[in-house]
């Protein structure tokens, strides 16, 4: 293995430490405690674990955590009423409605009901537009985490060729916008891109966010490139026993690590950065709400 392993778990711990420092100063100097409200509808096990981790890390950073757990059959109108209530609460600086929502609820309607200044997921249509036009916005957590790791590894990203494989609203598109803002030359590719392997081989920075397990092998990677693997996929692991699975990314790690200059593992790469950046976005939202300088090193 020749690639440097980008340790997302360690980097996320550093981000959370920075967040805690900013929170401490907000409390001591301004008497303000950032607050994050997380709303969970239903009892999806994966979502419950995720929400529990968010609440734990929010409290560990010194912030206020407000959890709202609603039954699976909660009417859409009731959820919208809760969002309206949280929008009006000055103690809440960030609002996150855990996705996916039950089928009878319109996700876009709920996301766009959150006031954009408290939209710490960065999914509101206004934040999408602001990011796309290079203005100050709340930035989606996963792309923000990827950007932080890339800046840490490279310093300046200016002039580098970046390929983002994946065009989702949550990762692919905002990731491309962030790289463009840092003066990369950006290509958005996807599963239907012609000669996808050749497109990937031109990338100094290759971000894989297509949602297909081990789709990108090592011979698609430019020697020395930085590979950011956003994929989280479960595949059978018969070597561990019957019905066992393991987590893999969108990149075939073993072969890619022989070629790349740096690579994020799965698990332990991009994943831990998502919650860390959620905390960072909450502090940013709090500072903006109180007309205070934005937290250095925690924004795009």
């Amino acid at each position: 293995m020749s690639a440097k392993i980008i340790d997302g778990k360690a980097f996320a711990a550093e981000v959370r430490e920075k967040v805690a420092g900013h929170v401490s100063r907000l409390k001591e100097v301004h008497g303000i405690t950032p607050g994050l409200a997380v709303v969970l509808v239903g009892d999806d096990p994966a979502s419950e674990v995720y929400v529990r981790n968010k609440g734990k890390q929010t409290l560990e950073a010194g912030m206020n955590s407000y959890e709202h757990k609603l039954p699976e059959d909660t009417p859409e109108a009731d959820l919208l009423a809760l969002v309206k209530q949280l929008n009006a609460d000055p103690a809440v600086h960030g609002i996150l409605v855990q996705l996916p929502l039950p089928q009878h609820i319109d996700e876009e309607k709920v996301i766009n009901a959150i006031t954009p200044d408290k939209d710490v997921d960065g999914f509101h249509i206004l934040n999408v537009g602001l990011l796309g036009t290079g203005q100050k916005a709340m930035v989606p957590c996963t792309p923000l985490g990827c950007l932080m790791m890339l800046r840490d590894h490279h310093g300046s990203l200016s002039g580098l060729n970046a390929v983002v494989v994946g065009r989702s609203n949550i990762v692919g598109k905002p990731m491309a916008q962030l790289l463009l803002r840092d003066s990369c030359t950006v290509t958005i590719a996807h599963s239907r891109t012609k000669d996808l392997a050749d497109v990937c081989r031109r990338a100094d920075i290759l971000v894989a966010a297509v949602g297909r397990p081990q789709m990108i092998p090592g011979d698609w990677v430019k020697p020395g490139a930085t590979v950011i693997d956003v994929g989280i996929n479960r595949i059978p692991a018969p070597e561990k026993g019957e019905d066992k699975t393991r987590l893999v990314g969108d990149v075939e790690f073993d072969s890619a690590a022989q070629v790349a200059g740096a690579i994020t593992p799965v698990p332990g790469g991009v994943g831990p950065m998502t919650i860390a950046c959620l905390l960072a976005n909450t502090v940013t939202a709090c500072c903006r709400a109180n007309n205070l300088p934005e937290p250095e090193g925690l924004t795009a």
Side-chain angles (χ1 to χ4, degrees):
M1 183 181 298
S2 60
K4 174 188 175 183
I5 304 302
I6 299 176
D7 188 341
K9 192 173 181 180
F11 197 92
E14 292 177 14
V15 172
R16 292 197 304 272
E17 189 176 337
K18 288 181 183 178
V19 167
H22 283 293
V23 171
S24 179
R25 285 188 289 277
L26 284 169
K27 288 180 176 180
E28 291 174 11
V29 179
H30 302 286
I32 301 168
T33 302
L36 172 64
V38 178
V39 181
L40 174 64
V41 183
D43 53 4
D44 176 74
S47 292
E48 285 187 340
V49 171
Y50 200 44
V51 167
R52 187 161 60 247
N53 288 337
K54 287 173 181 175
K56 180 174 178 284
Q57 292 187 28
T58 302
L59 293 172
E60 287 174 350
M63 295 192 283
N64 290 329
S65 175
Y66 308 101
E67 292 186 12
H68 298 267
K69 296 183 179 180
L70 306 178
E72 178 86 15
D73 59 356
T74 297
E76 181 182 276
D78 289 2
L79 178 55
L80 291 171
L82 174 58
V83 169
K84 184 177 181 180
Q85 174 188 324
L86 296 173
N87 283 340
D89 188 344
V92 174
H93 301 97
I95 302 170
L96 182 146
V97 178
Q98 182 67 36
L99 303 179
L101 291 169
Q103 288 188 346
H104 67 280
I105 296 176
D106 185 332
E107 287 188 356
E108 287 188 6
K109 185 185 291 187
V110 173
I111 289 168
N112 290 319
I114 300 170
T115 187
D117 294 340
K118 296 187 180 187
D119 167 39
V120 286
D121 251 342
F123 296 163
H124 191 287
I125 190 65
L126 182 60
N127 281 318
V128 173
L130 289 169
L131 177 60
T133 52
Q135 300 180 67
K136 187 162 66 176
M138 296 306 301
V139 176
C141 303
T142 299
L144 177 58
C146 295
L147 182 70
M148 287 182 178
M149 290 191 289
L150 285 167
R151 285 174 172 171
D152 180 72
H153 179 69
H154 284 279
S156 172
L157 305 183
S158 180
L160 296 178
N161 286 321
V163 172
V164 180
V165 186
R167 49 183 168 175
S168 71
N169 293 332
I170 293 173
V171 179
K173 291 175 184 175
M175 186 77 251
Q177 295 289 355
L178 290 172
L179 290 166
L180 195 60
R181 277 175 48 171
D182 267 31
S183 298
C184 290
T185 301
V186 182
T187 300
I188 301 177
H190 44 81
S191 59
R192 296 188 182 182
T193 297
K194 289 184 178 179
D195 301 321
L196 179 58
D198 288 338
V199 172
C200 291
R201 290 188 191 109
R202 295 197 293 268
D204 302 309
I205 295 170
L206 179 60
V207 181
V210 73
R212 292 192 180 185
Q214 301 176 319
M215 175 181 169
I216 299 174
D219 63 2
W220 289 19
V221 177
K222 179 181 179 180
T226 301
V227 178
I228 304 293
D229 192 349
V230 183
I232 301 178
N233 310 284
R234 284 204 172 273
I235 64 170
E239 70 278 6
K240 293 184 177 182
E242 191 177 350
D243 298 328
K244 295 292 185 180
T245 61
R246 64 187 178 97
L247 285 177
V248 298
D250 292 348
V251 175
E252 191 180 84
F253 180 84
D254 289 344
S255 60
Q258 300 293 334
V259 183
I263 189 169
T264 59
V266 178
V270 174
M273 287 296 293
T274 299
I275 295 181
C277 289
L278 173 66
L279 304 181
N281 275 352
T282 303
V283 174
T284 298
C286 178
C287 290
R288 290 177 181 175
N290 290 279
N291 296 312
L292 296 171
E294 294 188 7
E296 188 176 341
L298 296 181
T299 64

